[in-house]
Amino acid sequence: MAKVMLFNKPCGVLCQFSSAAGRACLKDYIPVQGIYPAGRLDTDSEGLLVLTGDGALQARISDPRHKLAKTYWAQVEGLPTAPALRQLCEGLDLGDFITRPCVAVRIDAPAGLWPRDPPVRRRLQIPTAWLELKLKEGKNRQVRRMTAKIGHPTLRLIRWAVGPWTLEGIAPGQWRWAEVSGF
């Protein structure tokens, strides 16, 4: 049975195995050779990165045609209203593309969430809220662009799940192997 590596990427880590100018990258955390990310996360985003050495599996995981849902937790400025969430769900025109419909709901702050390094900026006069978004696409900075479009910029972004895999039990900077079955 095929296996994938599940890595909890900390904020500030590049999603590649080489780095210019001494920036933190995957090789600083993962001592395994011959595996590659199936998709990417922005440097300032955190969370689940799936890696594999199987090129066909890598394509299947990352290609939106296979409709593998990705779940994100976004801490945003302000308190999004029901109409704002509906805009996210129905799809937004971001200029260079229109997002596909998705699921977007307000949630409580995720339990057991680790502190971010560096910390998220706090503004005493502006409340924050957490959203859970489930997308079946993943374009460059898409979640951040979507929340900004509805007037609620993202302060912290964590990818919690990719298809059947989650961050459950994986601390930032840590990884574990998982089996591939049924997808």
Side-chain angles (χ1 to χ4, degrees):
M1 180 169 287
K3 289 193 174 197
V4 293
M5 177 183 283
L6 307 179
F7 174 59
N8 188 347
K9 185 190 93 59
C11 182
V13 175
L14 297 173
C15 277
Q16 58 195 39
F17 279 93
S18 61
S19 171
R23 294 180 63 190
C25 65
L26 297 178
K27 75 174 180 186
D28 298 321
Y29 295 88
I30 300 171
V32 179
Q33 295 196 10
I35 60 170
Y36 305 94
R40 301 176 86 66
L41 279 173
D42 298 326
T43 304
D44 53 348
S45 297
E46 310 165 66
L48 185 60
L49 190 63
V50 180
L51 300 99
T52 179
D54 181 327
L57 180 59
Q58 181 184 27
R60 183 166 169 79
I61 293 168
S62 59
D63 192 321
R65 289 179 295 189
H66 298 292
K67 300 192 182 348
L68 196 59
K70 296 167 185 73
T71 303
Y72 296 88
W73 294 337
Q75 182 182 21
V76 298
E77 274 189 2
L79 305 173
T81 62
L85 292 175
R86 194 167 31 260
Q87 283 183 288
L88 290 174
C89 293
E90 293 172 354
L92 294 168
D93 185 345
L94 297 180
D96 52 340
F97 71 99
I98 297 173
T99 64
R100 291 181 182 176
C102 71
V103 175
V105 296
R106 277 191 50 185
I107 61 171
D108 292 333
L113 195 58
W114 56 89
R116 193 183 95 157
D117 184 22
V120 172
R121 75 173 190 270
R122 286 193 59 177
R123 295 164 79 185
L124 296 178
Q125 303 303 316
I126 299 176
T128 65
W130 282 91
L131 304 179
E132 180 176 89
L133 295 101
K134 293 184 183 184
L135 310 176
K136 291 189 177 177
E137 62 185 339
K139 303 201 178 185
N140 187 33
R141 300 186 71 79
Q142 181 173 343
V143 171
R144 292 177 187 282
R145 292 175 65 195
M146 289 171 68
T147 63
K149 179 81 175 188
I150 64 162
H152 298 280
T154 296
L155 301 172
R156 185 175 184 187
L157 184 60
I158 300 165
R159 182 161 55 198
W160 169 252
V162 175
W165 305 295
T166 72
L167 282 179
E168 187 71 39
I170 308 172
Q174 301 298 306
W175 57 270
R176 70 173 168 85
W177 291 106
E179 291 186 358
V180 176
S181 62
F183 97 97

